[in-house]
């Protein structure tokens, strides 16, 4: 087992440079998450704009399936841009992904609706969503690797946890922008054109981030490898060309990334959709509750990232999966109880809904605290995982190898969770049926991770040798 390097490595940089790197990487990554999640945050509005409105549940499921399509594309983006990142450089790859993501998000804000162009509207929406998925597939791995290759070995969990905040921060910003825009205009105006504004704002945010990132230098570790002729000429083959590497991939996927994905999307995303659809909470109320809980929970990504430097990545991630599997059901029951009674739907003589069903008097404080509790589970599984993934693979194939299991887990286990969970609720009539999927996956990850994963926080990436990377599985 490799021990932590004591001497200052040749690729070390000063603390001021580290914080510049984190700021530039985190800002761009946060904007990409904002772009990706603004779609899901506006799922109920998009359902009415881009799909036939005859069946509201079918329209919502179609929107969530389109949301999932973006996630399905993420592993392919990981391969494409991971290869570029390992061949050309970390900086170039995630500069390109930022431009693609920003352009795609802006196009959604300009896209004609189903009422205007018919079936072409959802077809174009799915295509744009896939482009977003491809871009995000190349972004996260690049940002995590770029930061990790600048920071000291003994603080990798702490420093990379600031990249981990960006996903939740992006979701928070998407909700905050929606609340501000929705609150600044009449409801009818927001439904008509106001929903487009959060998408169009992306072009401004991306412009700022592209300017900042263009000033960044390449990772010193990658620069050193390139100057020594040690970079990979075939990153995909080197990453996945051997049976041993595929074993590592599947155990990292099932023993870490899959559970992280379902815990993240249940605690921050599905619960929001569920409160609006199953509990009939007002959209503004639900978004505000989740936004406040996100703000309360964000510091704990850093807390658990830093703790993983001291106590190990595996212990904290596995504990988070187990607590989530045990806690989800009673927490959702508590949210249901706190939401209170639902006023009945009122229709006119023609059958048109005049007054929708709505939660009459929800206890918003209790609901916020319960969602915050789920966010603690999220921070436990997500805070240390960037450092864990970086430490699992050598530098010459790190971008590709880190990106694929992460995006496969989040793309398929996490990205399709809202659709699977909502479909289970719709088909069974049981509002808690959607939890079967995340609970089952979290238990699977806990079992696989406890049996097969090895601790990685001892690994030195700055003075690496082949022996520095015993299989994390």
């Amino acid at each position: 087992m490799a021990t932590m390097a004591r001497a200052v490595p040749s690729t070390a940089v000063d603390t001021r440079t580290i914080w510049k790197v984190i700021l530039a990487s985190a800002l761009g990554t946060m904007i990409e998450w904002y772009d990706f999640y603004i779609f899901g945050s506006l799922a109920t509005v998009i359902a009415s704009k881009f799909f036939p409105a005859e069946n509201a549940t079918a329209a919502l499921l179609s929107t969530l399936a389109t949301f999932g399509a973006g996630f399905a594309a993420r592993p392919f983006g990981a391969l494409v841009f991971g290869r570029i990142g390992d061949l050309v450089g970390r900086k170039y790859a995630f500069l390109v992904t930022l431009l693609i993501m920003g352009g795609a998000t802006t196009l959604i804000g300009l896209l004609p609706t189903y009422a205007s162009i018919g079936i072409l509207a959802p077809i174009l929406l799915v295509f744009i969503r896939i482009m977003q998925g491809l871009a995000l597939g190349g972004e996260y791995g690049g940002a995590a690797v770029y930061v990790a290759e600048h920071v000291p070995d003994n603080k990798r969990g702490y420093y990379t946890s600031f990249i981990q905040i960006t996903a939740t921060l992006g979701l928070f910003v998407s909700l905050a922008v929606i609340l501000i825009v929705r609150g600044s205009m009449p409801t009818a105006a927001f439904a008509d054109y106001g929903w487009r504004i959060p998408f169009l704002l992306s072009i401004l945010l991306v412009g700022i981030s592209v300017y900042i990132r263009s000033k960044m230098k390449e990772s010193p570790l990658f620069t050193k490898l390139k100057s020594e002729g040690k970079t990979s000429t075939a990153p995909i083959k080197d990453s996945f060309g051997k049976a041993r590497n595929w074993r590592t991939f599947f155990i990292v996927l099932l023993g870490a990334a899959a559970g992280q994905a379902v815990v993240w999307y249940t605690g921050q995303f599905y619960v929001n959709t569920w409160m609006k659809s199953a509990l009939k909470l007002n959209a503004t109320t639900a978004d505000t509750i989740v936004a406040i809980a996100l703000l309360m929970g964000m510091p704990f990504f850093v807390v658990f990232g830093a703790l993983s430097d001291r106590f190990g990545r595996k212990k904290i991630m596995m504990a988070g999966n187990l607590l989530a599997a045990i806690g989800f059901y009673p927490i959702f029951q508590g949210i249901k109880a706190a939401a209170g009674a639902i006023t009945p739907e009122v229709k006119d003589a023609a059958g048109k809904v005049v007054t929708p069903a709505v939660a009459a008097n929800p206890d918003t404080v209790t609901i916020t605290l319960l969602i915050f509790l789920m966010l603690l589970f999220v921070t436990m599984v997500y805070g240390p995982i960037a450092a864990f993934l970086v430490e699992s693979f050598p530098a010459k194939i790190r971008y590709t190898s880190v990106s694929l299991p992460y995006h496969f887990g989040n793309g398929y286990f996490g990205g399709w969770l809202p659709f699977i969970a909502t479909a289970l609720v719709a088909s069974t009539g049981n509002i808690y049926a959607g939890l079967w999927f995340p609970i089952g996956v979290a238990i699977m990850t806990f079992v696989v991770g406890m049996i097969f994963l090895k601790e990685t926080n001892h690994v030195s990436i700055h003075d690496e040798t082949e022996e520095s990377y015993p299989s994390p599985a």
Side-chain angles (χ1 to χ4, degrees):
M1 181 178 292
T3 56
M4 193 72 72
R6 299 296 181 185
V8 177
S10 60
T11 53
V13 298
D14 61 87
T15 303
R16 183 181 178 187
T17 299
I18 288 174
W19 285 112
K20 285 183 178 180
V21 165
I22 290 173
L23 177 62
S25 301
L27 177 62
T29 306
M30 183 277 291
I31 291 169
E32 291 225 24
W33 286 117
Y34 165 85
D35 285 352
F36 199 71
Y37 288 127
I38 199 77
F39 185 98
S41 299
L42 287 169
T44 52
V45 177
I46 290 172
S48 67
K49 295 298 178 182
F50 293 99
F51 296 94
E54 289 79 13
N55 186 320
T57 299
L60 179 58
L61 285 171
S62 297
T63 303
L64 293 175
T66 304
F67 181 67
F71 285 85
R74 282 169 60 174
F76 299 99
L79 287 175
V80 172
F81 292 105
R83 181 177 182 274
I84 293 172
D86 283 327
L87 283 173
V88 182
R90 304 359 182 167
K91 172 187 169 180
Y92 175 79
F94 67 71
L95 190 59
V96 173
T97 62
L98 185 61
L99 290 168
I100 294 173
M101 177 67 86
T105 304
T106 303
L107 284 176
I108 293 178
L110 299 171
L111 191 63
T113 63
Y114 185 88
S116 300
I117 59 174
I119 192 65
L120 188 59
I123 291 173
L124 290 173
L125 185 64
V126 170
F127 174 76
I128 294 171
R129 188 65 186 165
I130 289 172
M131 294 303 295
Q132 286 186 311
L134 290 172
L136 191 58
E139 166 66 25
Y140 170 82
V145 168
Y146 187 76
V147 170
E149 291 181 346
H150 279 84
V151 304
D153 288 317
N154 63 343
K155 290 187 177 181
R156 190 175 302 114
Y158 169 69
Y159 283 122
T160 57
S161 67
F162 288 93
I163 294 298
Q164 301 308 92
I165 289 177
T166 60
T168 295
L169 183 59
L171 178 57
F172 169 80
V173 172
S174 76
L175 292 173
V177 170
I178 290 168
L179 288 169
I180 291 169
V181 174
R182 184 185 278 133
S184 68
M185 61 181 64
T187 302
F190 182 81
D192 182 28
Y193 66 87
W195 63 270
R196 296 182 182 274
I197 295 174
F199 291 101
L200 297 175
L201 282 175
S202 173
I203 195 68
L204 175 63
L205 298 175
V206 167
I208 295 170
S209 185
V210 166
Y211 174 78
I212 294 174
R213 282 192 172 182
S214 66
K215 305 294 184 182
M216 296 162 61
K217 296 180 180 179
E218 185 51 80
S219 153
L221 181 54
F222 182 82
T223 300
K224 180 173 180 286
L225 285 178
K226 201 165 187 177
S227 67
E228 295 173 350
K230 294 181 179 180
T231 56
S232 173
T233 57
I236 295 175
K237 180 181 178 182
D238 289 344
S239 295
F240 307 109
K242 298 178 182 177
R244 176 181 178 274
N245 293 356
W246 277 106
R247 179 180 181 273
T248 299
F249 165 79
F250 279 111
I251 293 178
V252 170
L253 169 64
L254 301 178
Q260 169 263 299
V262 297
V263 173
W264 199 101
Y265 285 96
T266 301
Q268 298 184 112
F269 205 93
Y270 172 61
V271 69
N272 194 354
T273 302
W274 181 78
M275 288 192 297
K276 294 172 185 175
S277 59
L279 306 187
K280 306 302 180 185
L281 254 70
N282 172 272
T284 299
T285 301
D287 288 345
T288 302
I289 287 171
V290 173
I292 292 172
L294 293 177
L295 198 60
M296 293 166 59
M298 274 189 273
F300 289 90
F301 288 105
V302 177
V303 170
F304 287 112
L307 287 175
S308 76
D309 286 325
R310 182 174 181 181
F311 299 108
R313 325 294 185 206
K314 176 179 172 176
K315 293 184 183 71
I316 294 173
M317 292 190 297
M318 293 305 105
N321 277 284
L322 182 61
L323 288 171
I326 295 170
F328 276 161
Y329 206 92
I331 288 173
F332 271 68
Q333 286 181 314
I335 293 172
K336 169 67 169 64
I342 300 174
T343 60
E345 183 178 80
V346 178
K347 298 181 179 179
D348 61 17
K352 183 178 179 181
V353 176
V354 178
T355 305
V358 64
N361 190 28
D363 180 353
T364 56
V365 173
T366 298
I367 296 173
T368 302
L369 291 174
L370 287 170
I371 295 176
F372 167 69
L373 179 58
M374 285 197 291
L375 279 166
L376 292 181
F377 307 153
V378 172
T379 58
M380 292 177 74
V381 299
Y382 200 59
I385 201 169
F388 166 77
L389 290 170
V390 167
E391 291 158 354
S392 298
F393 305 101
K396 69 177 184 177
I397 57 169
R398 182 170 289 135
Y399 202 140
T400 304
S401 298
V402 164
S403 296
L404 192 61
Y406 174 83
H407 286 295
F408 206 103
N410 283 272
Y412 289 91
F413 288 94
W416 285 95
L417 187 150
F419 175 82
I420 293 170
T422 303
L424 284 170
V425 171
S427 63
T428 63
N430 176 1
I431 64 171
Y432 303 113
L435 296 174
W436 300 342
F437 177 67
I439 289 173
V441 174
I443 291 172
M444 174 198 71
T445 292
F446 175 76
V447 172
V448 173
M450 289 300 296
I451 295 172
F452 295 105
L453 286 188
K454 296 177 182 177
E455 185 51 68
T456 63
N457 74 332
H458 60 275
V459 170
S460 171
I461 71 170
H462 292 286
D463 297 305
E464 65 178 35
T465 64
E466 289 299 318
E467 290 72 31
S468 301
Y469 295 93
S471 168

